[in-house]
């Protein structure tokens, strides 16, 4: 597989995403449903945004690794949140995770009026190998 990052500017670097990713010669593609801060028993977290982000990222990581894909090959990661301000106040959690796994992904952040039960953030990913 070949990945090529397209960034006509540099300002997106501070926001931990890229403008486009071209992928050639893909062996397989994994489309990951929105992952949230739900525990192994299906209980939704009622914790704050920071804790929900941490749990959501762990759940996303678990699904991707169980499918035998590398986190570094996430090419698209969309984020849905009920509270953009709280998300961006805790964005360092997301940025540290992206940096730790050397991910260069396209992203869209959308504020939505409601997620399931008490959830504040949801992430869906596309991963290649």
């Amino acid at each position: 597989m070949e990945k090529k990052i397209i960034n006509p500017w540099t300002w997106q670097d501070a926001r931990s995403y890229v403008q486009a990713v071209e992928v050639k010669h893909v062996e397989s593609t994994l489309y990951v449903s929105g992952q949230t801060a739900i525990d192994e028993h299906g209980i939704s977290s009622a914790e704050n945004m920071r804790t929900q982000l941490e749990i959501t990222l762990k759940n996303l990581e678990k699904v991707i690794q169980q499918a035998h894909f590398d986190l570094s090959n996430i090419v698209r990661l969309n984020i849905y949140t009920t509270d953009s301000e709280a998300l961006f106040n805790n964005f360092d959690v997301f940025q540290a995770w992206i940096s730790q796994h050397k991910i260069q992904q396209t992203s869209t952040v959308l504020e939505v009026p409601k997620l399931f039960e008490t959830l504040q953030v949801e992430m869906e990913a596309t991963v290649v190998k």
Side-chain angles (χ1 to χ4, degrees):
M1 177 202 47
E2 295 175 44
K3 283 193 316 184
K4 178 182 175 186
I5 304 302
I6 296 95
N7 275 334
W9 310 283
T10 58
W11 56 261
Q12 72 280 327
D13 299 347
R15 295 177 173 106
S16 299
Y17 78 99
V18 300
Q19 296 297 329
V21 180
E22 179 184 8
V23 184
K24 295 180 182 179
H25 313 294
V26 174
E27 174 187 323
S28 188
T29 303
L30 180 68
Y31 300 94
V32 183
S33 289
Q35 297 300 303
T36 61
I38 294 180
D39 71 16
E40 65 274 6
H41 305 291
I43 308 297
S44 297
S45 174
E47 296 293 327
N48 63 26
M49 177 64 79
R50 188 169 200 85
T51 301
Q52 286 201 23
L53 266 172
E54 292 167 347
I55 296 167
T56 297
L57 290 167
K58 285 179 187 172
N59 287 344
L60 181 63
E61 194 170 323
K62 184 173 186 169
V63 171
I64 292 169
Q65 289 176 336
Q66 187 166 340
H68 304 290
F69 280 71
D70 292 325
L71 295 171
S72 64
N73 286 331
I74 294 173
V75 293
R76 181 126 186 104
L77 182 55
N78 290 334
I79 304 169
Y80 304 90
T81 182
T82 58
D83 187 346
S84 293
E85 185 176 350
L87 174 69
F88 292 125
N89 285 338
N90 292 282
F91 212 60
D92 62 304
V93 171
F94 175 76
Q95 290 179 306
W97 187 81
I98 291 293
S99 178
Q100 174 189 354
H101 298 291
K102 298 176 177 48
I103 300 168
Q104 291 185 292
Q105 84 297 339
T106 61
S107 285
T108 298
V109 177
L110 295 169
E111 184 168 303
V112 296
K114 180 85 173 130
L115 291 171
F116 186 68
E117 297 179 337
T118 56
L119 299 171
Q120 300 173 46
V121 64
E122 184 169 336
M123 296 185 187
E124 65 181 7
T126 304
V127 194
V128 295
K129 68 173 169 182

